[in-house]
Amino acid sequence: MKCIEEKIQVIQKVLDEKVKEIQQIVGEKNFNFKDFYFAGGCIYCLWNDKEVKDYDIFCKSYYAINKLKKFFKENPDKSDITTSNAITMGKYQFIIKHIGQPDVEVAKFDFKHNCYYYDNTGLHDLYGFEYINDNKLHFNSDRARDILNVVTRIPKFVNRGMEISQKEILDILEMGTRPSKIFRERRAIKQRRSGRSRY
């Protein structure tokens, strides 16, 4: 328990410094940390003393993200790249596509070692701290998603030194064979439009 508490303190200290750095550039009124949170690979890397390639920052509300987007639109020299998914400023990636509460958005991540987030209330885990201590990929099967996209992301993690078992790969492939709610909804819409199913 002590080791976990020490690691949490380290992460909190590092990310609090990142918040201050961002606020110095964009202003606190455009980046009130009550409206934002860090999630994904940066937390896993900090926990395991690995180099952080980038910091993914998510937003809890459309109002807050629109204010930040307005800042970058008025100050284009402050950002490096802007896409439909994110605004990149150095090592910081402000995710503009997926807006919402962290327990909902982080639960959509493909693998459980990334299902942690840090907001103004502290570091939170969705599935337990055993996954962040592990170098093995554990598939998050709690939601339906594009399985092909999940499979194509596996080599990225393996190249970073992570492992995946045959069982996890089979679980991913098995999920890909299930008709998802999204698939059924898409089929129903197409049936209504054409009067018959195209599948």
Side-chain angles (χ1 to χ4, degrees):
M1 182 63 78
K2 186 179 178 183
C3 183
I4 289 177
E5 289 172 359
E6 287 174 353
K7 284 180 178 286
I8 289 172
Q9 288 175 6
V10 168
I11 288 172
Q12 178 174 312
K13 185 177 179 181
V14 170
L15 295 182
D16 283 348
E17 286 299 316
K18 300 302 177 186
V19 170
K20 290 177 186 173
E21 189 177 309
I22 293 167
Q23 288 175 338
Q24 286 176 350
I25 299 169
V26 307
E28 192 171 345
K29 67 175 185 178
N30 297 310
F31 188 75
N32 184 335
F33 194 51
K34 289 181 180 179
D35 297 317
F36 294 86
Y37 56 97
F38 292 89
C42 66
I43 294 174
Y44 179 84
C45 289
L46 289 171
W47 187 279
N48 290 284
D49 299 317
K50 296 177 181 288
E51 180 188 355
V52 178
K53 296 191 180 298
D54 52 47
Y55 295 85
D56 288 340
I57 303 159
F58 292 76
C59 190
K60 298 176 183 178
S61 76
Y62 283 96
Y63 174 77
I65 200 66
N66 286 335
K67 197 157 51 168
L68 188 64
K69 284 163 72 175
K70 183 181 178 185
F71 168 83
F72 282 116
K73 190 173 182 180
E74 293 173 351
N75 300 274
D77 58 308
K78 299 291 185 183
S79 63
D80 301 320
I81 303 168
T82 300
T83 68
S84 59
N85 292 327
I87 298 169
T88 303
M89 182 181 76
K91 278 194 167 188
Y92 302 115
Q93 285 196 113
F94 301 96
I95 309 302
I96 59 177
K97 186 175 181 181
H98 304 287
I99 310 300
Q101 293 303 307
D103 57 330
V104 174
E105 295 304 317
V106 175
K108 297 175 183 177
F109 289 1
D110 295 329
F111 296 101
K112 291 183 177 179
H113 74 282
N114 276 340
C115 291
Y116 302 83
Y117 67 91
Y118 180 75
D119 66 3
N120 65 310
T121 65
L123 182 65
H124 303 273
D125 66 287
L126 296 187
Y127 299 105
F129 281 103
E130 65 266 26
Y131 298 105
I132 203 169
N133 276 316
D134 201 352
N135 74 329
K136 294 179 174 60
L137 291 173
H138 296 274
F139 179 51
N140 177 15
S141 60
D142 289 349
R143 70 177 190 92
R145 84 293 305 274
D146 180 356
I147 296 301
L148 182 59
N149 185 50
V150 178
V151 172
T152 58
R153 286 165 56 79
I154 292 173
K156 179 185 84 168
F157 292 119
V158 170
N159 288 338
R160 293 179 184 174
M162 300 198 77
E163 302 172 4
I164 186 165
S165 69
Q166 221 173 19
K167 178 190 177 302
E168 293 297 323
I169 291 174
L170 288 172
D171 285 348
I172 294 168
L173 296 176
E174 192 271 331
M175 171 71 82
T177 64
R178 297 182 202 164
S180 70
K181 180 182 176 184
I182 294 169
F183 181 87
R184 290 194 300 272
E185 287 174 353
R186 190 183 303 135
R187 181 173 57 187
I189 290 167
K190 291 205 172 196
Q191 282 178 324
R192 285 196 298 272
R193 286 177 181 168
S194 66
R196 62 185 178 82
S197 173
R198 296 182 185 179
Y199 296 101

